[in-house]
Amino acid sequence: MSDSTLSTFSTCGKYFSSFGADGKLRIWDTLSNTLKQEYTPNMHLTSPITSLKWIKLSNPTYPTKIKRKSMDDNPLESDILLLGTRNGQLQFYSVSSGEVSNELAKSHDSAITCMAWCKSVNYVYTASEDSHILEWSLKKNKMKKKWFAGTGRITSLALSGDGSYLYSASRSIQWWDLESKSVIKKFTGHSSAITSLSHVSTLSGNYLLSAAKDDKFISAWSLNESNDEKTSIASFVLDDTAAEMSVFAEDDGASATMMALSSSGTLHTFKLKLNGKCSKSVKADHIIQLAPNEGSKTLSLSPIPICSSLPKSDSSVLIAYGSGVLLKFETIAIDSPETLIILVRKDTRKKVSIKNQDSLKVVSASTADASYSHPGVVNGSNSVDLKRNSSSKLKDLPMEERLENLQLNKIDTPAGSSVPPDSLAQLLIQGLKSKDKNILYSVLSSRSEEIVNNTVARLPVQVILPLVEQLTSLTQSKSWGSEVAVRWLKCILSVHSAQLLASPDLSSKLSPLLGLIETRLNALPPLLRLRGRLDLLLDQFSGKPSVPITSYDQSDFLVYEDKDSDEEEGSDDIRMGHTTDSSGEDRWDELSDEESVDGNGEDIEMASD
């Protein structure tokens, strides 16, 4: 099952439930390997299911407005599936009626993340994202107690065998006394959210087992009064991160077996022999894998992942394998002396049924330009070039496989890159899942916009938000990281904008980025002013102006020409109506002679007289 799928077995293993991303709740009958029911909740879009828990109720009570359609074989005990929703509602789904038979009053203000059931007193405990724990009485159909854990989002709950203690987990584990609702002890040691908790009682004492989301081991914690340790006393090693964990223990505590399922679909079994602190990591007694049979004629013998498991005894386990609605259920006996057990089963993941083959229109294509992909590969990556294969091998490939895997559109590799975009997308997905910085940086370091656009376009929607988180943290680094993050974020916002807008966690994912952008924009004006002042200081020290003189225009900006005074007087006379003839000149000479007198006022006689 994918990370977004919720799945669990019923307490007796008769039913298996699954809620997927399509908003449908499916119930399988494990004895007949058939899909028994498929139910779509009324509020599956606005308030989808966030947690599942199977319980058994004796003579369950129902509201008068809800009528039961039928009864189970045993009317005194019914299989009920508890549904926790995003809006904090607790619902009861009855397998006998095939619908929600009861709803308790809404008391959570946020999504219900996990549940635990105490059979002895018929109590249910629910936890939510806002770190509140509620205690419900199923006999009275009402809430009895509500308290605040104070550890953040609670991801897992478990009860002790007698129902007197409760264990809640986020990244740390709290041990609660249910009578006083007080914390007895707190355990720390996991670096990520804890996904599974299980209490086990042995002859040596009581212990708690925990599995975290990003850890490749199961931790064991001592609950004995004589042990004051707040750290784990043992670690059980897995081949990959833990996906699921369950325990089978005898009533007398003589033996106990833990079965852990890794995210790669491999089942590990451990014989629990806990007695004091163990300094070395404990390896699995048995490792169970499923391999496809040769009759499937697939090009790849990749293991068939086990989706879920339920221990039936210390030497047998009920498993579910397959994908989607094509699930198979089988009880496996673990009696082999070998550590690695590989079981060959039919692969239901690649099941193609072609009806009316006579009416099927077949388009012939040249095998020189066709490529066939491995099963489960998206967009034709890791394709097998059939030009190098012999004609005999080509004939062995069934026609159904050829038609399904035929790739008519050839993907061109962008210029400047020797790696096709599909391979870069697969590398990026692998780096996000493994959180390997070397893989992430090798893909993100590409500077070609065409490669970035093609890679982002081929990413599935499930990895968009994790990629945005990585890029947001990368923007807080130095110049190279910021440049890379901005280039990829710009492309993601343009290609996957619809997916981002539909995500309810968009504001929390982008709020650090928006705050960083606002901070840098506020710092930009002071930096520009500082740069200008530093440039002026450097120019003064160097003695050279920042702008060379030769850059100025040496031509005159404005030229004013003053007219000649004679021309101005002449023009004035003309404007006043005066003329300059010969009589005027004689008059000027007579005036000059009269004004020429001596100092006593007498005329000076000219020498010619």
Side-chain angles (χ1 to χ4, degrees):
M1 294 290 177
S2 62
D3 295 339
S4 59
T5 302
L6 302 173
S7 60
T8 180
F9 280 100
S10 62
T11 54
C12 61
K14 182 180 179 181
Y15 300 112
F16 179 78
S17 60
S18 172
F19 180 80
D22 57 354
K24 294 183 179 181
L25 176 66
R26 296 181 175 89
I27 308 294
W28 281 268
D29 189 340
T30 59
L31 299 179
S32 60
N33 277 310
T34 57
L35 180 61
K36 183 179 179 66
Q37 295 174 5
E38 191 174 79
Y39 173 75
T40 303
N42 295 331
M43 305 293 289
H44 69 282
L45 294 177
T46 58
S47 181
I49 297 173
T50 55
S51 59
L52 302 174
K53 183 65 179 180
W54 283 96
I55 63 173
K56 278 186 173 292
L57 292 182
S58 299
N59 293 324
T61 59
Y62 300 93
T64 55
K65 63 180 180 180
I66 299 180
K67 297 181 180 180
R68 302 185 62 189
K69 295 181 180 180
S70 61
M71 293 291 291
D72 286 334
D73 296 336
N74 184 5
L76 299 179
E77 199 172 52
S78 300
D79 288 295
I80 301 295
L81 180 60
L82 295 180
L83 309 177
T85 62
R86 180 181 291 177
N87 64 354
Q89 187 78 42
L90 184 60
Q91 301 175 345
F92 293 70
Y93 179 84
S94 174
V95 179
S96 59
S97 62
E99 62 182 4
V100 174
S101 58
N102 192 8
E103 291 183 356
L104 298 183
K106 180 181 176 181
S107 299
H108 281 290
D109 296 330
S110 59
I112 298 176
T113 55
C114 51
M115 296 178 282
W117 174 52
C118 182
K119 184 178 181 180
S120 58
V121 295
N122 211 7
Y123 280 3
V124 170
Y125 297 88
T126 59
S128 59
E129 290 183 345
D130 58 2
S131 193
H132 282 88
I133 302 176
L134 272 66
E135 183 181 59
W136 303 85
S137 174
L138 299 185
K139 294 180 180 179
K140 299 181 180 180
N141 279 334
K142 67 177 185 180
M143 181 187 67
K144 288 196 61 180
K145 191 72 175 177
K146 180 178 181 179
W147 71 95
F148 182 65
T151 57
R153 184 177 187 269
I154 301 175
T155 55
S156 185
L157 288 177
L159 285 164
S160 60
D162 57 359
S164 57
Y165 301 109
L166 176 70
Y167 311 97
S168 65
S170 52
R171 288 191 178 184
S172 60
I173 303 173
Q174 287 182 318
W175 178 9
W176 297 90
D177 182 5
L178 290 178
E179 184 176 355
S180 61
K181 305 298 187 294
S182 60
V183 177
I184 300 176
K185 189 183 289 187
K186 186 176 181 180
F187 304 99
T188 58
H190 289 288
S191 59
S192 57
I194 297 173
T195 56
S196 299
L197 281 178
S198 184
H199 177 272
V200 58
S201 297
T202 63
L203 296 177
S204 59
N206 296 317
Y207 299 92
L208 186 66
L209 303 175
S210 63
K213 180 180 179 181
D214 298 331
D215 293 343
K216 296 183 179 181
F217 57 87
I218 307 293
S219 298
W221 315 82
S222 176
L223 303 176
N224 302 323
E225 297 180 357
S226 58
N227 193 339
D228 295 333
E229 288 283 344
K230 294 185 179 181
T231 58
S232 61
I233 62 172
S235 295
F236 302 89
V237 182
L238 307 178
D239 67 333
D240 204 345
T241 56
E244 185 181 284
M245 180 261 299
S246 55
V247 176
F248 176 84
E250 299 288 347
D251 295 336
D252 56 359
S255 63
T257 302
M258 178 184 67
M259 298 184 182
L261 188 64
S262 66
S263 58
S264 60
T266 304
L267 184 64
H268 303 71
T269 65
F270 301 86
K271 293 290 184 180
L272 298 179
K273 300 176 182 179
L274 300 172
N275 189 7
K277 192 173 182 64
C278 182
S279 58
K280 296 183 178 180
S281 299
V282 182
K283 296 183 179 180
D285 297 320
H286 293 93
I287 299 176
I288 302 175
Q289 292 182 348
L290 299 183
N293 56 358
E294 296 179 357
S296 62
K297 296 184 180 180
T298 57
L299 295 178
S300 174
L301 294 178
S302 59
I304 303 174
I306 300 175
C307 303
S308 186
S309 63
L310 177 70
K312 305 290 288 185
S313 67
D314 58 352
S315 59
S316 64
V317 59
L318 174 62
I319 64 170
Y321 61 93
S323 61
V325 297
L326 302 176
L327 290 180
K328 294 293 183 181
F329 304 93
E330 182 180 351
T331 301
I332 299 175
I334 308 174
D335 53 2
S336 174
E338 300 292 334
T339 301
L340 180 61
I341 302 175
I342 299 178
L343 304 176
V344 179
R345 297 292 183 269
K346 184 178 180 180
D347 192 356
T348 60
R349 295 172 297 175
K350 302 289 290 182
K351 186 176 181 180
V352 180
S353 60
I354 299 180
K355 299 179 181 180
N356 302 326
Q357 291 189 6
D358 296 336
S359 61
L360 181 64
K361 185 177 180 180
V362 179
V363 179
S364 60
S366 174
T367 57
D369 297 329
S371 61
Y372 294 88
S373 304
H374 290 284
V377 176
V378 182
N379 293 332
S381 59
N382 298 331
S383 59
V384 179
D385 189 4
L386 295 182
K387 291 185 289 186
R388 295 190 298 267
N389 296 341
S390 61
S391 58
S392 61
K393 292 183 180 180
L394 184 61
K395 293 179 181 179
D396 293 337
L397 190 67
M399 181 58 67
E400 296 177 1
E401 292 283 339
R402 298 187 193 181
L403 294 177
E404 185 177 8
N405 297 329
L406 184 62
Q407 182 184 1
L408 298 178
N409 297 326
K410 184 178 179 181
I411 300 175
D412 297 329
T413 302
S417 174
S418 60
V419 183
D422 289 329
S423 300
L424 289 178
Q426 294 294 334
L427 282 176
L428 188 56
I429 295 172
Q430 181 182 354
L432 290 173
K433 289 185 177 181
S434 62
K435 295 185 178 180
D436 191 336
K437 293 184 178 180
N438 294 329
I439 298 178
L440 288 175
Y441 290 163
S442 64
V443 179
L444 297 177
S445 60
S446 176
R447 295 182 177 273
S448 174
E449 292 186 3
E450 183 181 1
I451 295 177
V452 173
N453 292 332
N454 292 336
T455 304
V456 171
R458 286 166 173 80
L459 290 176
V461 295
Q462 293 84 359
V463 302
I464 297 303
L465 287 180
L467 179 58
V468 170
E469 290 182 3
Q470 292 290 336
L471 295 175
T472 302
S473 61
L474 197 60
T475 54
Q476 301 176 3
S477 60
K478 295 184 179 180
S479 59
W480 177 86
S482 299
E483 180 185 357
V484 168
V486 168
R487 184 185 304 114
W488 284 81
L489 283 172
K490 180 181 177 181
C491 182
I492 290 174
L493 292 176
S494 61
V495 175
H496 296 282
S497 57
Q499 171 66 18
L500 293 174
L501 291 175
S503 175
D505 301 331
L506 180 62
S507 58
S508 60
K509 302 295 184 185
L510 295 182
S511 56
L513 181 61
L514 294 176
L516 180 63
I517 293 174
E518 185 176 358
T519 302
R520 293 190 176 182
L521 286 177
N522 293 334
L524 182 60
L527 288 176
L528 292 177
R529 289 195 296 267
L530 178 61
R531 178 182 177 180
R533 293 175 182 177
L534 291 177
D535 289 341
L536 290 176
L537 291 175
L538 291 176
D539 293 339
Q540 292 176 4
F541 291 148
S542 61
K544 297 180 180 180
S546 57
V547 181
I549 298 177
T550 55
S551 63
Y552 289 114
D553 189 4
Q554 299 297 323
S555 61
D556 295 334
F557 181 72
L558 178 63
V559 178
Y560 177 74
E561 294 182 358
D562 191 8
K563 296 182 179 180
D564 187 49
S565 59
D566 296 337
E567 294 179 358
E568 290 182 356
E569 292 177 358
S571 62
D572 293 341
D573 293 338
I574 295 173
R575 287 194 297 267
M576 294 176 66
H578 297 291
T579 59
T580 56
D581 52 4
S582 59
S583 60
E585 292 178 359
D586 297 339
R587 177 64 178 170
W588 176 261
D589 294 336
E590 293 177 358
L591 290 175
S592 299
D593 294 339
E594 294 176 357
E595 291 177 357
S596 300
V597 295
D598 56 357
N600 296 323
E602 296 179 353
D603 294 337
I604 301 175
E605 293 183 1
M606 302 299 293
S608 59
D609 295 344

